Structures are given as C-alpha cells and as structure tokens.
Amino acid sequence: MNTLLLDAAVAADVAKAAELLQQGHLVAVPTETVYGLAADATQPQAVSQIFRAKGRPADHPLIVHLPDAAAISQWAQQIPASAFKLAEAFWPGPLTLLLHKAEHVDSCVTGGLDTIGLRVPAHPVLLDLLKSANLAVAAPSANLYKKLSPTSAAQVFQTMQGRIDAVLDGGDCEFGLESTIVSVLGDTVQVLRAGPISAEAISAVLGCPVETPEQHDVKVAGNVAAHYQPGTPLLCLDASHIKAFINKAPRKIALLALSPVTEFSADASLHWHVAMPQDAKGYGQALYKQLYLADQTGADVIIVEQPPAENAWLAIHNRLMRAAYQEV
Ligand code: TXA
Ligand code: MG
C-alpha cells in the first residue's frame, strides 16, 4: 500500500483525507494530544482495519472522535448530567468520557464492551474536517501496539508507512500526551488514565470528589504495565543515581535531563542527551518526541531523569512508569 502524505494547510489535501475516510480507508490525523489512526466509526469494515494496521488485539476498545458535543446522544445512551457538564467545560479538548454505548454502535468499535469512549478533539483542522464531512472517527494513537504514541506526522509516517492509506500532517501536537479518560458510568466519577486535564479540574467542574484509582481492571490499553515503550531499554532515575550509573560501566547512554547535564558528566561520556523543559506542559509535549529521537541514536539504554513528584506531573509519571516496565 502506498501511504499518501497530505498537508493540513492545503484545502485539497484535507478534502482528500475526508474522502478517504468516507470511502472506508485509514488516515492518520493530527489531534491536540497525539496523532490518531482514524476510520469512519460507522463502517465496521474500516474500523477493523485499524486493529490490523496497529497489530492491536481486537478486544481493545477505540475512542470515537465527534464533531461536537451534540453528537454524544447519537453514540451513547443513559447519559448522566455529569457527562454534559464535563463536555461543556472541556470539549473540544483532551478529555475522553466513558459512557454506555448506543444500540447501533458496532461492537468492533468498543472491543465487545457495552461502553464507549467519546471525545471532541481540539485540533482545528481535524475538527473542521469532522464537522464539514459530518464524520465521527474511531481513532487510537497512530503507533504500533504498545509502542510510543506519535506527536508528529513524520513519526507516524516512519512506522505506519505502507500499512495505512494516508497521513494528514497538521504539525506537532500541542499536548503530546494522550487524553484524560474519565468514567462517568457508575455512582462515582473515576479518572482511568491521567492526562492533560487533571482530576482536580474535573472535580472543580462537577463540585464533587473524583477517584483516581491506581489499579483498575477496566480495559484501558494504557492500563497494561508495559506500554508507550521505545525499543531501547529505559530507566527512570533520580539525579544521584544517574551519576553513579554513568560512572559505573561503559554503556552508550541517551539522557533526558532536567538538571544541567554537567552535573552528571564532566566529559563527553554521554552518547546523546537533551535538556527537557522544566514545566510539566512543555515536558509532556516534548516527551514522546525526545524518546523517539533517543531511540534512534543507537544507545544501549535511555535514562530519564525523574521528574518532580507533583500533581501536575502525574500523567508524565504514569507514562514513564509504563515505558520503563520490563518483564522479569
Ligand atoms: O488522546 C487520545 O486519547 C488519543 C487521540 C488519538 O485521541 N487516542 C488514544 O487512543 O490514546 P488509544 O486507543 O491509544 O487509547 C485509548 C484508550 C485505550 O486504552 C482504550 O482501552 C480506552 O481508551 N478505551 C476506549 N474505549 C473504552 C471503553 N469503552 N472502556 C474502557 N476503555 C476504553
Ligand atoms: Mg495508544
């Protein structure tokens, strides 16, 4: 399959992306979080191609991206008032709501569950495309199963070339981390995947406490221990351990540092390094991109300096923990 590279700044290219989606083809699209691998959510045949292209198990549910909040009731039923409040406050934006699916929704979209993940994405080009073509698209992150999510069209192209019909290049993603996933299914509201929208912000809108269970058995792919992984082994260490690690054995180290790199190594013993942004938003935006680059340097190990243990860094800690996870 020849993968087209389309430019979101060119109207004819955006129209082509919409046309491909309507014809049941797969198009990687920019969102404000990460690039998504989209198919028309009303065409099971198209949706099933997503699983093939990603190598993703068929029982992992997909998020459906809607043109506006009014479309919620076409895709979900028994919608609680809290869902409308959250949609009103955070859509378009990086928040996914888990709701009971509407009868007509094909089970291939929801991985066989009777619930559905919905969000209205904030990337202007994608949003315009969904509105003008009146489309809802099922879209997981546009990476191979368990690998790093892409935050640029070039990353998508490198790994998915030949597996999908097109990539719509809409520039680098604003957040760089996947959406916050919130379940409003039960009596309590639960954050099932930490993301750009914090539990505190959700709680403030609803005026009630929000649970953030560390471990839950809801089928969220981001809930598996090993996920968001570069090909190179990754260690997340605090500054003092990094120094010891560098001095110990001659290994090719790629370092994502928060402290000045001179604190770790006076000489040029690092194979590759990058100074990461000091604020959580900037760090989150850069993380997958830099892990992606580090992975391509031929290093033996990627070391990430442990970010601050503060709430604003929660989603980042969550991703790093899974990126570092090794089966024993
Ligand atoms: O920011 C994002 O959420 C990106 C962009 C493309 O929108 N999408 C994304 O999709 O991260 P994906 O498939 O890589 O991760 C979505 C997560 C998966 O872990 C999936 O299991 C979970 O959402 N999910 C989707 N529908 C669900 C449902 N009905 N019940 C439980 N989890 C669900
Ligand atoms: Mg994913």
Side-chain angles (χ1 to χ4, degrees):
M1 182 189 296
N2 180 30
T3 303
L4 285 176
L5 190 52
L6 302 170
D7 183 348
V10 176
D13 280 14
V14 180
K16 177 72 184 173
E19 185 190 312
L20 286 169
L21 287 165
Q22 283 165 328
Q23 291 168 343
H25 296 297
L26 295 186
V27 181
V29 292
T31 86
E32 78 281 30
T33 58
V34 299
Y35 272 74
L37 182 50
D40 180 347
T42 63
Q43 299 185 47
Q45 193 56 34
V47 172
S48 62
Q49 299 298 317
I50 291 177
F51 295 91
R52 243 205 8 216
K54 275 187 67 111
R56 169 162 165 150
D59 65 348
H60 281 240
L62 305 173
I63 295 171
V64 175
H65 298 69
L66 307 175
D68 52 42
I72 285 193
S73 43
Q74 288 164 36
W75 291 87
Q77 54 182 333
Q78 303 160 42
I79 306 161
S82 54
F84 290 111
K85 271 194 198 162
L86 293 175
E88 166 86 31
F90 297 115
W91 284 359
L95 183 82
T96 297
L97 293 174
L98 290 191
L99 292 159
H100 295 285
K101 81 173 186 73
E103 292 298 335
H104 72 87
V105 180
D106 195 277
S107 65
C108 75
V109 173
T110 61
L113 300 174
D114 57 10
T115 57
I116 187 166
L118 298 175
R119 84 180 189 94
V120 176
H123 192 288
V125 174
L126 176 60
L127 198 54
D128 270 3
L129 183 159
L130 297 180
K131 282 183 202 287
S132 57
N134 192 25
L135 270 170
V137 294
S141 50
N143 49 282
L144 296 174
Y145 182 55
K146 290 197 173 181
K147 297 297 182 190
L148 289 172
S149 299
T151 58
S152 71
Q155 276 171 31
V156 179
F157 202 74
Q158 268 190 23
T159 47
M160 302 307 273
Q161 189 180 7
R163 305 175 78 95
I164 62 177
D165 297 281
V167 181
L168 180 60
D169 184 351
D172 284 357
C173 299
E174 181 192 345
F175 290 101
L177 294 176
E178 302 81 356
S179 63
T180 304
I181 300 183
V182 184
S183 168
V184 286
L185 291 165
D187 297 335
T188 55
V189 176
Q190 294 185 317
V191 173
L192 299 181
R193 180 173 71 183
I197 295 185
S198 69
E200 291 75 23
I202 292 166
S203 175
V205 165
L206 296 179
C208 69
V210 169
E211 291 175 14
T212 51
E214 280 270 295
Q215 297 291 338
H216 53 79
D217 54 8
V218 182
K219 196 160 267 142
V220 176
N223 190 31
V224 295
H227 202 74
Y228 314 112
Q229 296 209 323
T232 313
L234 181 148
L235 290 172
C236 196
L237 301 174
D238 63 29
S240 62
H241 288 104
I242 293 176
K243 202 164 179 178
F245 191 94
I246 292 174
N247 291 333
K248 211 164 64 184
R251 262 167 296 194
K252 284 196 229 161
I253 294 170
L255 175 68
L256 275 64
L258 279 164
S259 311
V261 83
T262 45
E263 286 196 12
F264 304 122
S265 146
D267 52 32
S269 63
L270 288 169
H271 180 64
W272 180 90
H273 65 89
V274 63
M276 293 297 284
Q278 302 288 320
D279 64 299
K281 180 158 187 206
Y283 190 105
Q285 196 206 21
L287 179 61
Y288 289 147
K289 183 179 188 167
Q290 295 303 339
L291 286 178
Y292 203 88
L293 292 174
D295 210 11
Q296 299 191 322
T297 61
D300 302 319
V301 59
I302 298 171
I303 297 184
V304 180
E305 182 179 352
Q306 188 84 52
E310 291 162 14
N311 268 351
W313 296 77
L314 208 68
I316 290 161
H317 282 285
N318 169 291
R319 303 307 188 278
L320 285 175
M321 188 177 75
R322 295 172 206 282
Y325 184 86
Q326 301 290 326
E327 302 288 347
V328 285

